Amino acid sequence: MSELALHPAAQDLLFRQARTANTFTTEPVTEDQVRAIYDLVKYAPTAFNQSPLRVVLIRSDEARERLVDLVDEGNRRKTAAAPLTAILSADNEFHEELPALLPHFPQAKELFFADRPVREESALLNAALQAGYFILGVRAAGLAAGPMTGFDFAGVRKEFLDDDHTPLMVVNIGRPGADAWYPRSPRPAYHEVVTTV
């Protein structure tokens, strides 16, 4: 018997059956679906509620061509075919929003995040946490996610972002197409990961 409160079908959708998709159908991903995904993702825990994840949605053919040129050769076909692609980045100037996001402790902006190197380290860690939630949000919408780090980070930053944003990953999104999945790779056993002291 499962010790989880989440229904087994939901567990399968989010975790057991979900895998990185490598092909997609042509069915579009709607703005309503993206907003529904965000409405889940926004609740990811971050230090000081800093919420540094930023998302650039690639929808136009022109933007897609620019992005495809910047992803590794093995990733180009799936990025070109995905109905929606998201560039996830960390906003290194997240502290500007802290007074609104942390109204009970607005002084955190200057007290902890006045220095850019401190902000960059914190933004990277916390946006990566939010990125994991983003992938789960895509799955919760009944869609498949194809997260990738095989791309020209400097090129993507220059082409789609700015110096205040650090690219994390590119995520292809849509309904899985034919032969979308590679065979499931092994995972470490519980005792290899968890230690009790």
Side-chain angles (χ1 to χ4, degrees):
M1 179 165 178
S2 173
E3 295 298 322
L4 301 175
L6 195 63
H7 190 278
Q11 295 173 35
D12 287 344
L13 178 70
L14 297 175
F15 299 100
R16 294 191 194 94
Q17 299 302 320
R19 286 185 276 170
T20 296
N22 295 288
T23 67
F24 298 90
T25 70
T26 58
E27 182 180 337
V29 177
T30 68
E31 181 64 20
D32 286 345
Q33 286 173 306
V34 174
R35 287 181 180 274
I37 291 165
Y38 175 72
D39 281 342
L40 294 177
V41 172
K42 69 184 180 184
Y43 294 113
T46 58
F48 296 96
N49 197 36
Q50 63 186 253
S51 306
L53 181 71
R54 301 295 179 264
V55 181
V56 175
L57 298 177
I58 305 298
R59 287 197 184 274
S60 72
D61 291 340
E62 180 269 336
R64 186 171 305 282
E65 287 177 14
R66 287 162 44 213
L67 178 60
V68 166
D69 287 343
L70 294 169
V71 301
D72 293 354
E73 189 172 342
N75 292 329
R76 289 180 182 167
R77 183 181 303 147
K78 51 192 170 185
T79 301
L84 180 66
T85 301
I87 299 170
L88 307 188
S89 69
D91 182 358
N92 298 308
E93 297 299 308
F94 68 85
H95 69 309
E96 296 296 344
E97 307 298 327
L98 274 183
L101 294 176
L102 200 67
H104 62 280
F105 189 26
Q107 61 270 37
K109 173 183 174 182
E110 296 301 329
L111 191 60
F112 295 106
F113 300 111
D115 296 330
R116 173 74 179 231
V118 172
R119 289 198 305 274
E120 288 181 351
E121 182 178 358
S122 189
L124 193 63
L125 173 64
N126 286 278
L129 177 59
Q130 287 183 283
Y133 268 68
F134 183 87
I135 293 166
L136 287 174
V138 169
R139 293 172 176 177
L143 301 170
M148 307 178 302
T149 55
F151 61 91
D152 178 349
F153 278 68
V156 165
R157 188 175 197 170
K158 180 179 179 182
E159 191 70 27
F160 294 98
L161 305 170
D162 58 36
D163 289 342
D164 289 332
H165 293 79
T166 302
L168 297 173
M169 65 183 69
V170 170
V171 184
N172 294 318
I173 303 167
R175 301 279 180 197
D179 301 317
W181 321 116
Y182 296 147
R184 173 78 78 186
S185 296
R187 297 297 193 270
Y190 179 87
H191 71 275
E192 295 173 316
V193 175
V194 178
T195 302
T196 302
V197 294

